[in-house]
């Protein structure tokens, strides 16, 4: 539930990795959108952060090579001329191709380091991002990639909610693990982390 300590726990977990230990952490935030909203919003946050870390040039080069349609949606990373060119090239691109592109980018980036991608408030995940979560979880290609998501169970409206259906299916096939949280105090976060991880 809201205020239970999910973000505090995630922050403590991501801080537990020493600097330069071969783990790249990037975080995305889902927001409650009204109307059509933006697609892939939390994953655009993740990709932008990955391209802003120490290996910026390497990540940007891999993104340009493997996922150019994604780069077109990240204006802070490229100049206006390249963006206009990429937007022209990306016209009419299928959702499936966008999923394949970004999966290949994550896999290529994870050959050198482990990726920990955190997405908060999955109860507000847009449909495109939900499909990407499902696609990444089912990929068989080797990758040092961990997806960590948080959500409020009380907002899933029972077993018919699309996120709950995805979670149940992924758990059935051992593609994910679900950790319900008790109410955590600041003192109990480290203790909980030690017991679970």
């Amino acid at each position: 539930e809201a205020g239970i300590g999910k973000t505090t726990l995630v922050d403590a977990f991501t801080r537990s990795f020493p600097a330069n230990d071969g783990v790249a952490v990037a975080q995305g935030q889902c927001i409650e959108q009204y109307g059509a909203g933006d697609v892939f919003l939390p994953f655009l946050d993740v990709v932008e952060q990955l391209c802003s870390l120490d290996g910026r040039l390497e990540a940007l080069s891999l993104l340009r090579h493997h996922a150019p349609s994604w780069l077109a949606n990240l204006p802070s990373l490229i100049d206006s001329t390249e963006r206009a060119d990429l937007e022209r090239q990306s016209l009419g691109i299928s959702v499936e191709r966008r999923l394949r592109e970004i999966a290949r980018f994550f896999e290529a980036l994870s050959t050198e380091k482990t990726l920990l991608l955190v997405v908060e408030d999955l109860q507000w995940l847009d449909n495109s991002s939900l499909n990407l979560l499902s696609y990444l979880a089912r990929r068989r290609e080797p990758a040092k990639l961990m997806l960590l998501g948080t959500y409020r169970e009380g907002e899933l409206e029972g077993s018919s909610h699309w996120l709950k259906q995805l979670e149940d299916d992924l758990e059935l096939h051992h593609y994910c693990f679900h950790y319900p949280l008790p109410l955590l105090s600041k003192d109990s976060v480290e203790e909980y982390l030690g017991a679970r991880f």
Side-chain angles (χ1 to χ4, degrees):
E1 297 304 317
I4 201 171
K6 298 182 298 298
T7 299
T8 302
L9 182 65
V10 167
D11 288 347
F13 179 64
T14 58
R15 282 193 312 268
S16 70
F17 299 104
N20 303 318
D21 69 345
V23 177
V25 179
Q27 295 182 280
Q29 176 69 48
C30 300
I31 59 169
E32 191 169 14
Q33 300 186 58
Y34 303 96
D38 285 340
V39 297
F40 299 118
L41 183 62
F43 287 100
L44 287 168
D45 288 346
V46 162
V47 171
E48 191 168 35
Q49 284 180 31
L50 289 172
C51 290
S52 300
L53 297 174
D54 291 339
R56 172 185 168 82
L57 294 179
E58 176 198 2
L60 195 53
S61 175
L62 289 172
L63 186 62
R64 190 174 276 120
H65 178 73
H66 292 287
S69 69
W70 285 73
L71 188 54
N73 292 299
L74 296 166
S76 66
L77 299 178
I78 54 177
D79 63 39
S80 58
T81 304
E82 183 178 6
R83 183 177 183 206
D85 186 45
L86 287 171
E87 285 175 346
R88 277 192 300 277
Q89 293 175 28
S90 299
L91 282 176
I93 192 171
S94 69
V95 173
E96 292 79 10
R97 180 173 163 189
R98 293 197 75 196
L99 297 180
R100 286 193 314 273
E101 280 188 5
I102 200 62
R104 284 196 299 266
F105 167 71
F106 289 144
E107 289 160 4
L109 197 56
S110 73
T111 59
E112 298 296 321
K113 60 189 88 177
T114 299
L115 297 183
L116 171 57
L117 309 182
V118 178
V119 180
E120 297 238 38
D121 290 317
L122 291 175
Q123 73 273 5
W124 295 321
L125 195 67
D126 63 272
N127 286 335
S128 297
S129 295
L130 177 75
N131 290 333
L132 178 54
L133 262 183
S134 177
Y135 184 70
L136 290 172
R138 297 169 200 279
R139 295 274 292 181
R140 297 208 176 265
E141 286 71 8
K144 295 181 288 186
L145 170 65
M146 178 180 185
L147 291 166
L148 176 61
T150 67
Y151 66 89
R152 299 177 194 162
E153 284 195 87
E155 295 192 25
L156 295 194
E157 304 161 10
S159 61
S160 64
H161 193 280
W162 38 263
L163 181 61
K164 186 65 178 157
Q165 291 174 0
L166 174 62
E167 179 193 320
D168 290 345
D169 186 54
L170 293 179
E171 276 193 301
L172 179 67
H173 294 94
H174 306 289
Y175 295 142
C176 81
F177 302 96
H178 177 227
Y179 295 107
L181 294 179
L183 181 63
L184 297 171
S185 67
K186 286 187 178 184
D187 294 334
S188 64
V189 166
E190 296 295 332
E191 181 181 318
Y192 187 85
L193 273 177
R196 289 289 183 166
F197 304 104

